[in-house]
Amino acid sequence: APEVRAQILEVAAEDPSIVTEQYLEAAIDEKGRIGIQAIRIAGRLRFEQFSPLLRSIADQADPARRAASYAALLRLGDRNGPEPDKRLSQMMVSSDPAERAAALEESVPVDGLVTPDLIAAALTDPATAVRSKALAVAAQLPDERYIPQIVECLKVPDLRLAARSTLAAFPAS
């Protein structure tokens, strides 16, 4: 299953004898979760030699791959071409819900990109996919200001389970 392979890649990436640069480059070319996870790893491990490949991915159509490549380029400090932070910010306000959801998800590990106001706005986004990602982010970065929006998400059947899980991440008061 792709999810399991992506998780194995995440764990194995810490050992350079398992995940070599050649393997990572091949994984980046894969579609779906594996490719996205490989892009994240290239950024997290600061593999600067992947900058040209990541910049080329940033021009592709798939919003998840683009957002992951922008975040990885930010982690690499790559400022060639269009600035990745500006591109991620543009994706966050896009008319395409897939772009908004992908940008939100990929921006979390990059310091300074995701603000409480951005999370609060995403929790009220008209697109269920964006609210779902926002619930996951709110669980990672709990803030009492999000509780009213999370409670509203409980009213949406497709978000109910995620909203409950998010509320569980908040300290009991």
Side-chain angles (χ1 to χ4, degrees), residues 100-116:
R100 294 193 307 273
L104 178 62
E105 180 177 18
E106 296 303 330
S107 295
V108 173
V110 181
D111 288 338
L113 282 184
V114 175
T115 64

Side-chain angles (χ1 to χ4, degrees), residues 132-152:
S132 178
K133 295 289 184 196
L135 287 166
V137 172
Q140 292 173 28
L141 306 168
D143 186 318
E144 288 186 10
R145 291 178 283 184
Y146 309 146
I147 292 176
Q149 293 95 330
I150 297 167
V151 169
E152 285 299 311

Side-chain angles (χ1 to χ4, degrees), residues 53-152:
L53 176 59
L54 296 173
R55 281 193 303 274
S56 72
I57 292 168
D59 294 330
Q60 295 178 359
D62 179 41
R65 289 178 60 82
R66 277 190 293 128
S69 69
Y70 292 141
L73 288 166
L74 279 170
R75 292 179 125 181
L76 295 175
D78 187 309
R79 293 291 178 192
N80 295 322
E83 292 184 27
D85 54 341
K86 289 182 180 162
R87 290 289 181 97
L88 268 174
S89 295
Q90 289 171 349
M91 286 181 75
M92 285 189 218
V93 295
S94 167
S95 61
D96 180 357
E99 284 196 2
R100 294 193 307 273
L104 178 62
E105 180 177 18
E106 296 303 330
S107 295
V108 173
V110 181
D111 288 338
L113 282 184
V114 175
T115 64
D117 289 342
L118 181 72
I119 296 168
L123 285 167
T124 61
D125 194 279
T128 302
V130 176
R131 281 183 285 161
S132 178
K133 295 289 184 196
L135 287 166
V137 172
Q140 292 173 28
L141 306 168
D143 186 318
E144 288 186 10
R145 291 178 283 184
Y146 309 146
I147 292 176
Q149 293 95 330
I150 297 167
V151 169
E152 285 299 311

